Amino acid sequence: MKEFTYLIKNNFAMHFGPAGRLAELARCYPDTTAIIEMGARTANISRPMKVATMGIREGDIVKVTAEGDSEVELIDVLYQYFEDAM
């Protein structure tokens, strides 16, 4: 299992657009499961409605984990997306 913790910045708020893009990235690695957590809320990244309704916005800290055969590649791709988009 690989993971990273990320502080949401740049006046960002998670909505269906960014959540959908995260899901697209995660679906490129069907052998790996990616989960996003914020406090007590948890969602599978490949389910964009669940991610979009978590209420993630600037100032929140999220933890992203990936587990499976492609966990190293997926966690790197997801981290880069967070850096670029948030």
Side-chain angles (χ1 to χ4, degrees):
M1 181 171 63
K2 298 292 181 184
E3 65 181 52
F4 67 86
T5 302
Y6 198 86
L7 171 64
I8 305 299
K9 51 192 177 221
N10 298 331
N11 200 27
F12 179 84
M14 183 68 73
H15 52 83
F16 192 71
R21 180 67 182 132
L22 280 173
E24 288 175 13
L25 294 171
R27 288 182 188 137
C28 291
Y29 301 89
D31 58 351
T32 304
T33 301
I35 303 293
I36 187 166
E37 299 175 45
M38 182 183 73
R41 296 179 181 178
T42 302
N44 185 317
I45 288 179
S46 65
R47 310 241 354 213
M49 282 301 270
K50 294 279 189 181
V51 176
T53 60
M54 289 178 69
I56 298 169
R57 62 182 160 269
E58 181 181 14
D60 290 334
I61 297 174
V62 297
K63 182 168 99 173
V64 177
T65 59
E67 187 168 4
D69 293 340
S70 301
E71 61 190 28
V72 173
E73 294 90 352
L74 179 55
I75 206 76
D76 287 344
V77 167
L78 294 175
Y79 183 81
Q80 190 59 52
Y81 178 74
F82 273 72
E83 281 290 291
D84 294 343
M86 298 174 211

